[in-house]
Structure formats: C-alpha cells, structure tokens
C-alpha cells in the first residue's frame, strides 16, 4: 500500500486530475445505478415511469433553455480567453440565468401549451426549471476546475451530491403521499444547497454581468449547434417520452430500466473517451493520423466483447436489480447494449469534424438520427409496443456512426490526401460481427446453462490473454501524459 501511495504522489498533476475526474464520473453514475433498485421498490411502475419521463423532458428543455453554453463553447473560451477567464465565466453564468428565466416566464405565459405536451404539474415544472439552472451553474464551475486541474473541491462536491440526492429523496418518499414529486424535490433541494454558490462565486469573482463580446461569441457559436444538441437529446430520450405518451408510464419505466442497464458500458465509454480523445486530437494536430488505427481497433474489439458480457449477464442483473414487474426489460437490453459500440465508433470519427470545425455535418448527422428515431418509434410502437424501442435505437446509432464515418472520410480526402485513417473492411466487419453475436445471444435467455457456459468461456479467454489486456490498458492510461489533457480546447480551435 505504501508503494502505491508513493507512486500516486509522484504522478504529474494532470495525471492525478484526469484520474480523479474519471473517478467522479464513475462514482456519480455508479451511485445512480446502485440506488435505482431502491427507488424501483419505493415507487410504483407508473411513478418510476413518470420520473424517467421527467428526466428525459428535462434533458430536452435544458438544450433550449441553456443552449448548452457550458459545453464545448465554454471550454474553448476558458482556454482562448485565459487572461480574462474570470470575466468570461461570470458573463456566461449571467447569460445562462437570463435564458433560463426567459423560458420560465414563457412557461407561465403559455402554460396551456406546455400542459398538452408535458404531463407535469406547475410545481413539478418549476422544479424542472430550477434543476436546469442549478445544474448549469455547477457545470460552468466544474468545467473551469477541469481546465485548471483543480480536482479536490470538484471531487468532494460530486461525491457529496451523489450521496445526498438519493438519500434525501428516499427520506421524502417515505413520508410523502405524492411520491413522484418527493423524488424530484429531493434532487432540487440538494442542488440548491450544493450548486447555487457556484453561480454567486463566479459572478462575484468576475464582476461582469454582460460582456457584449462574450455574449455575442457564445450565441453565435451555440445557436447553430441547437439542432445538433437537441437532436442528440431526442436521440437519447425520445424513446422514453414517446412510450409514456403512446403506451403508458409503466411501460416507460420498464424500458427506462432496460435502457439504463443496457447502457452500463457507456460508463466505460465515457471514461475511455476522456483519455483517448485528447490523444486523437494531438495526432490530428501533428498530422500523424495513421497511428490512430493502432489504438482504435483493439479498443473497438474490447468494447464489443464487453457488450457481449453485459448481454450474457443481463437476465441476472435484472433479477437482482429490479422487481418482477420489470423482468420483461431483459428483451430490450441486447440492442441497447450493442448501440453503445456505435456510440464509441462515432467518437473516433467525429474528432475530425470538431477539429476542422465542420459543425454543419455534425448537426446534419444528429438531426437525421433523431428524426429517424421518432419516425421509427411511432411506426413500430403501434405494431410491437415498447420492445421496438431498443431496436429503433440501435438502427439510429448505426446510421449515426456511419454518417460520421462518411463525413470523416470526406474531410480526410481534403486534409490528408492519400492517407487512410481506418480500414473500411475492419469497421464494417466489426460492426456486423458485433450486431450478429449480440442479437444471436438473445435466445440463450431461455437456456441458462448455455448462457453460463458462454460466459465462462468468455472469462477463460480473458484470463488467457490477461497480460496483453493489462499491457494495453497501461498504454491507454499513459496517453494522458502525452496529450496534456486539453481535450476541449483542441476540439474547438
């Protein structure tokens, strides 16, 4: 243990920061996953379905009400305007508050229209808008901490909030008659206490409410990206919203559980993206794109294999995770899990679009995926019910990834003539194999012994190749040292 502590102390600050940022991501998502079984048992399927729909609508309205100002544009500004960073942060906080206030006022002016679209009371909608603002206020501060590699306060607040939110919600649910409102009230009370200070801190430090230049830059960059951000939100959340509206809240709850479990691999994908993306941008900057395939191919294989593992143990996870009323979720998990593979593929292609500022192609691909998702959902929900949602999601993410591959190839023909970054044969072969094996495993849910035999075989193969896996994992971790961690700054310059 002493040697481990000593090695940790010797790590460069950017490596320590990167490590703790990944820990924060896993802890935050992990607590949500671990506490979901508790809420499944405290809430009825209808109440849990309403909560799933609430978070989905909040994701959609967040895009409209905040323009996602705290994402790439803000990270880019923190680097670009490093000499006026405090003023920039203060100005962005105030602009975001203004936008959320305008949307809240709009809600009160046309409340009847909102009621027809969104199945929540006035109190619940107010909670939603407050959550949108408090979350954005924290996101601005957290982004600045990441850029400045200040991880201690961020880790403390992230862990504290991750524990307090479910804890307070559980206490309120046990004492409430309206358990759904109690669930979201627990979230907003914690965020008001733990997040609002971020707004006042950055504004008091920067002492700028409205900087016309910063506001113009923010709106000029982010407004054209609204179709991309909104479509991305719809691509992720339209399923749950449409299931609730077309079929019922209980079915939305079952699908929500399946979607959450099927996307377990997304935690690993996010962590890998934080490590690999900066390195990819660095290779583009150095015009050393040939090196990307050496990293990409093993990672794609690894994610595909991990997805197979998730699919094999899905019935066991659902039985441990949820009550009997949610057991049908197992049939939706395989296609949702496979879609994570294509989400990961997208990242390797999209870095070229972001690096060379081809935002129109990014928005186009996302819009096509979102529109197709809504159309397919509407058509197949009528015929097959909510089970179709997993397969429509998979189809849309396959199309999404391959559109970005097409745009990447078009960029590379111009920027890197004569250079082939990734082999089309490898991409297509891995995609077909990943989908085929994933879907072929579904019948094994009827034959547990076959499923467990395949699971044991997979673990034995992993043990045989353990040294190669460990070696490759160390190489991935070491990328952070060479990339410098400036993911977003590279992405948006």
């Amino acid at each position: 243990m002493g040697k481990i502590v000593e090695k940790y102390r010797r790590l460069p600050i950017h490596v320590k920061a990167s490590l703790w940022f990944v820990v924060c991501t896993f802890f935050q998502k992990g607590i949500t996953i671990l506490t979901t079984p508790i809420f499944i048992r405290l809430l009825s399927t209808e109440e849990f379905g309403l909560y799933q729909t609430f978070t989905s609508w909040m994701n959609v309205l967040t895009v409209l009400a905040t323009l996602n100002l705290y994402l790439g544009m803000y990270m880019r500004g923190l680097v670009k305007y490093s000499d006026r960073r405090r003023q920039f942060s203060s100005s962005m906080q105030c602009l975001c508050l203004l936008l959320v206030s305008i949307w809240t006022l709009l809600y009160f002016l046309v409340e009847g229209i909102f009621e027809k679209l969104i199945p929540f009371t006035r109190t619940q909608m107010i909670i939603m808008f407050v959550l949108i603002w408090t979350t954005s206020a924290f996101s601005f501060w957290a982004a600045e901490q990441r850029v400045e590699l200040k991880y201690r306060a961020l880790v403390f607040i992230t862990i504290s909030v991750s524990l307090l939110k479910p804890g307070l919600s559980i206490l309120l649910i046990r004492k409430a008659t309206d358990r759904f409102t109690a669930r979201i009230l627990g979230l907003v009370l914690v965020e008001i206490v733990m997040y609002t200070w971020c707004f006042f801190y950055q504004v008091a430090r920067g002492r700028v409410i409205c900087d016309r230049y910063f506001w113009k830059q923010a709106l000029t960059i982010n407004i054209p990206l609204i179709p991309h951000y909104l479509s991305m939100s719809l691509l992720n959340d339209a399923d749950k919203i449409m299931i609730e509206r077309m079929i019922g809240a209980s079915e939305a709850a079952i699908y929500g559980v399946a979607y959450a479990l099927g996307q377990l691999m997304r935690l690993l994908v996010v962590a890998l993206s934080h490590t690999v993306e900066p390195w990819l941008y660095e290779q583009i900057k150095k015009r050393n794109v040939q090196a990307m395939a050496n990293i990409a191919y093993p990672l794609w294989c690894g994610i595909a294999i991990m997805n197979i593992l998730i699919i094999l143990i899905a019935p066991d996870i659902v039985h441990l995770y949820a009550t009997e009323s949610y057991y049908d979720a197992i049939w939706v998990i395989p296609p949702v899990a496979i879609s994570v593979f294509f989400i990961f593929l997208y990242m390797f292609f999209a870095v070229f679009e972001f690096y060379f500022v081809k935002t129109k192609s990014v928005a186009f691909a996302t819009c096509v995926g979102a529109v197709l998702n809504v159309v397919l959902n509407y058509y197949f929900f009528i015929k097959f019910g909510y089970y179709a949602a997993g397969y429509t999601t998979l189809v849309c993410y396959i199309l999404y990834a391959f559109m970005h591959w097409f745009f990447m190839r078009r960029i590379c023909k111009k920027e890197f003539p004569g250079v082939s970054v990734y082999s089309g044969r490898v991409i297509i072969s891995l995609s077909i194999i990943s989908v085929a094996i994933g879907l072929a495993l579904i019948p094994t849910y009827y034959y547990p012994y076959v499923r467990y035999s395949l699971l044991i075989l997979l673990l034995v193969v992993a043990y045989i190749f353990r040294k190669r896996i460990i070696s490759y994992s160390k190489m991935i971790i070491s990328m952070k040292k060479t990339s410098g961690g400036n993911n977003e700054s590279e992405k948006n310059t």
Side-chain angles (χ1 to χ4, degrees):
M1 181 61 70
K3 291 182 179 179
I4 295 174
V5 172
E6 185 61 29
K7 285 184 178 180
Y8 171 78
R9 288 176 178 172
R10 292 178 181 177
L11 289 175
I13 183 65
H14 65 269
V15 177
K16 288 182 181 178
S18 299
L19 174 65
W20 281 109
F21 294 153
V22 171
V23 168
C24 280
T25 300
F26 269 93
F27 190 88
Q28 193 174 34
K29 300 294 183 181
I31 288 295
T32 301
I33 293 170
L34 290 173
T35 56
T36 296
I38 299 174
F39 291 110
I40 284 175
R41 288 161 175 81
L42 290 175
L43 303 172
S44 67
T45 53
E46 184 175 356
E47 290 167 334
F48 190 75
L50 281 174
Y51 174 72
Q52 295 284 338
T53 308
F54 179 88
T55 57
S56 296
W57 272 114
M58 187 169 71
N59 291 337
V60 173
L61 288 178
T62 295
V63 176
L64 298 173
T66 69
L67 305 182
N68 279 356
L69 292 173
Y70 47 82
L71 293 181
M73 182 285 307
Y74 181 62
M75 297 289 283
R76 174 180 182 270
L78 290 174
V79 176
K80 185 175 181 180
Y81 311 118
S82 57
D83 56 332
R84 299 184 62 200
R85 184 173 291 169
R86 293 185 176 185
Q87 292 79 5
F88 176 69
S89 296
S90 174
S91 187
M92 289 301 99
Q93 284 275 20
C94 292
L95 175 58
C96 190
L97 175 60
L98 174 63
L99 293 173
V100 175
S101 300
I102 290 172
W103 269 89
T104 306
L105 178 61
L106 180 64
Y107 166 74
F108 286 113
L109 292 176
V110 291
E111 189 174 351
I113 297 176
F114 275 86
E115 286 178 352
K116 293 179 181 179
L117 292 172
I118 306 176
F120 304 118
T121 65
R122 177 182 293 183
T123 299
Q124 292 161 355
M125 287 300 297
I126 292 172
I127 290 174
M128 183 184 293
F129 282 114
V130 173
L131 280 169
I132 289 171
W133 174 65
T134 52
T135 302
S136 63
F138 171 74
S139 297
F140 282 118
W141 175 81
E144 187 178 64
Q145 297 299 294
R146 289 189 177 95
V147 169
E148 297 180 352
L149 302 177
K150 297 177 179 178
Y151 58 88
R152 290 184 176 86
L154 180 58
V155 169
F156 173 78
I157 292 174
T158 301
I159 292 177
S160 299
V161 170
S162 298
L163 294 172
L164 287 171
K165 278 184 177 180
L168 181 58
S169 292
I170 290 169
L171 291 176
L172 293 175
I173 288 171
R174 289 186 177 278
K175 296 182 179 181
T177 53
D178 184 354
R179 293 176 295 188
F180 163 61
T181 302
R183 173 69 174 108
I184 59 176
L185 187 61
L187 303 180
V188 76
L189 290 176
V190 171
E191 289 206 4
I192 288 173
V193 173
M194 299 297 291
Y195 285 173
T196 52
W197 70 269
C198 298
F199 172 84
F200 295 106
Y201 170 76
Q202 287 192 305
V203 172
R205 191 187 57 175
R207 299 180 181 180
V208 173
I209 294 176
C210 173
D211 184 299
R212 291 184 180 180
Y213 176 77
F214 289 150
W215 280 27
K216 182 180 178 180
Q217 286 288 305
L219 296 174
T220 300
I221 293 173
N222 275 58
I223 288 177
L225 285 172
I226 289 178
H228 167 65
Y229 288 135
L230 188 59
S231 297
M232 199 70 209
S233 181
L234 288 173
L235 195 56
N236 290 325
D237 297 300
D239 296 343
K240 285 165 275 188
I241 293 172
M242 293 181 71
I243 289 172
E244 189 276 331
R245 299 300 290 178
M246 294 178 64
I247 304 174
S250 296
E251 288 77 8
I254 296 171
Y255 178 75
V257 169
Y259 191 86
L261 294 175
Q263 295 252 324
L264 277 173
M265 278 300 300
R266 203 159 188 172
L267 291 176
L268 178 59
V269 165
V270 169
L272 283 174
S273 296
H274 287 165
T275 300
V276 177
E277 261 191 285
W279 183 84
L280 293 175
Y281 284 113
E282 192 68 25
Q283 304 317 302
I284 297 174
K285 183 178 180 181
K286 294 177 179 178
R287 307 190 70 81
N288 185 33
V289 294
Q290 298 96 325
M292 291 181 174
N294 296 330
I295 293 297
Y297 296 162
L299 279 177
W300 295 347
C301 292
I303 293 298
I305 293 169
M306 292 296 290
N307 274 337
I308 292 172
L309 175 63
I310 292 293
I311 293 170
L312 284 172
I313 64 175
D316 306 294
I317 296 177
V318 172
H319 281 73
L320 289 171
Y321 195 77
T323 58
E324 187 176 353
S325 56
Y326 290 87
Y327 285 175
D328 273 357
I330 64 173
W331 307 109
V332 186
I333 290 176
V336 173
I338 299 168
S339 68
V340 176
F341 172 78
F342 294 95
I343 293 172
F344 194 53
L345 278 186
Y346 147 78
M347 185 268 291
F348 283 85
F349 308 147
V351 287
F352 289 89
E353 296 169 271
F354 282 110
Y355 187 88
F356 293 105
V357 199
K358 303 296 182 181
T359 52
K360 289 183 179 179
S361 63
V362 173
F364 176 79
T366 315
C367 288
V368 170
V371 171
L372 181 65
N373 192 31
V374 172
V375 172
L376 291 178
N377 284 347
Y378 182 80
Y379 181 77
F380 286 104
F381 283 4
I382 296 173
K383 287 193 170 186
F384 304 105
Y386 74 91
Y387 296 103
Y391 297 92
T392 59
T393 296
L394 174 58
V395 169
C396 291
Y397 274 118
I398 291 174
L399 177 64
Y400 183 63
F402 276 84
M403 279 194 292
H404 283 289
W405 179 37
F406 171 78
F407 292 133
M408 181 210 76
R409 291 182 65 184
R410 192 167 64 178
I411 292 169
C412 289
K413 283 182 180 179
K414 179 181 178 181
E415 301 292 340
F416 307 99
V419 176
S420 178
V421 182
Y422 308 117
S423 167
R425 184 178 298 176
V426 171
I427 293 171
I428 294 173
S429 298
L430 277 176
S431 298
I432 293 174
I433 292 170
S434 181
V435 173
I437 293 178
L439 297 182
L441 290 174
I442 295 176
T444 66
Y445 290 177
Y446 293 108
Y447 308 101
Y449 292 111
V450 175
R451 185 163 55 83
Y452 290 135
S453 298
L454 292 173
L455 178 61
I456 292 171
L457 177 63
L458 184 63
L459 295 176
V460 168
V461 172
Y463 179 78
I464 293 172
F465 291 98
R466 67 190 183 282
K467 291 183 179 179
R468 185 176 298 181
I469 294 172
I470 293 171
S471 175
Y472 192 76
S473 300
K474 289 180 179 179
M475 184 176 67
I476 296 296
I477 294 171
S478 69
M479 285 181 178
K480 206 69 179 178
K481 300 178 183 179
T482 59
S483 64
N486 290 330
N487 173 4
E488 296 293 344
S489 63
E490 287 295 334
K491 181 185 293 186
N492 297 285
T493 53

